[in-house]
Amino acid sequence: MSSPAVRARPGVRRSAWTLALLGAIVVLALLSVAFGARVVSPGEVWAGLAGSAEGFGEAAVAKRVPRTVLALVAGAALAVSGVVMQGVTRNPLADPGILGVNMGAALAVVVGIAHFGLRSATSFIWVAIAGAALAALVVYAIASLGPNGFHAGAATPLKLALSGAAVSAALASFVSAVILGRNDIASGVRSWQIGGVGGADFGSMAAVAPFLAGGLAVSLLAAKALNSLALGDELAAGLGERVGLARGLASLGAIVLAGAVTALTGPIGFVGLVVPHVVRLLVGSDHRWLLPLSALAGAALLTAADIVGRVVARPAEIDVGIVTALVGAPFFIYIVRRQKVREL
């Protein structure tokens, strides 16, 4: 009975989805601390959350809490980064993984580990962000090359996706070349390169938190500008938007988010691709709603993927980066096969 009324009141629909996503996050967070190689009872979950570590169950809960928090934070950051990249480039295929941003951060971190002795996630942050920014610039520059040289308007969605895929593949090869013959770091780097949240600890998260908070704040503040950019550069400029500045600041927020998350988890793909499209179907394309709800949906998606990875392969586990790839790759093909992929 409510469908026509709800459709007529987008504010009600958006509020309802916000509450639904918040409820889903609470449920998934509890499942995340309860399920794993050893399933714990509700009583053990409660005792573990209260600070007890006397039994195996409580100890397992205490170990899973930072992992759950990292999955929530990383999922939110990657989803927001994807929304901004799609908005800035007006490209429905944009994603930190597809555009090579995550792999740029990964290469920078691997080079830092192999040649500069970097060892902790906190020391990865700056090099990861720098690598992500450099990769984004290279991808955009290649996509903007036209028959007559560099032209920003030549960076169509398809060219950006192809350029990103090519650069990402090249960077992955460089990563392999860097660790080739370095048996002392190969095992750890390969495990990190898959993308996962299993090594979470609150110390590393606290070090990265200011970067994530800054990137998220810049991205949310760019919501109005992204709405203007969606109308086209000329119309956005006519509305008083400083197009270049808006695009640059929004891109900075997205790159910082992607780089900081990659420093903690390794490259995790497809969250930034899948979540924005799903949330648009739920609440529309207004970035003032799309950004915060994508953050909630991204947190829920990555936490759910981590739970699945731990449950289906018990007592071992599948890294969350593999689970998101299994979900995201078919979705990417679906988006590519749609007819209207030229722009958002």
Side-chain angles (χ1 to χ4, degrees), residues 77 79-90 96 101 136 214-230 241-258 287 291:
V80 170
S81 180
V83 172
V84 174
M85 287 185 183
Q86 291 179 11
V88 167
T89 62
R90 299 181 64 195
V101 175
L216 182 62
V218 171
S219 299
L220 292 176
L221 290 173
K224 182 174 177 293
L226 291 172
N227 284 342
S228 299
L229 292 176
E241 198 66 59
R242 299 171 67 179
V243 173
L245 179 62
R247 184 168 276 132
L249 287 176
S251 299
L252 177 63
I255 289 170
V256 168
L257 286 173
H287 287 83
L291 284 164

Side-chain angles (χ1 to χ4, degrees), residues 196-209:
V197 294
D201 66 84
F202 284 126
S204 298
M205 282 187 274
V208 177

Side-chain angles (χ1 to χ4, degrees), residues 268-271 319-331:
I268 297 176
F270 294 107
V271 176
D319 284 315
V320 70
I322 297 175
V323 179
T324 58
L326 291 174
V327 174
F331 192 85

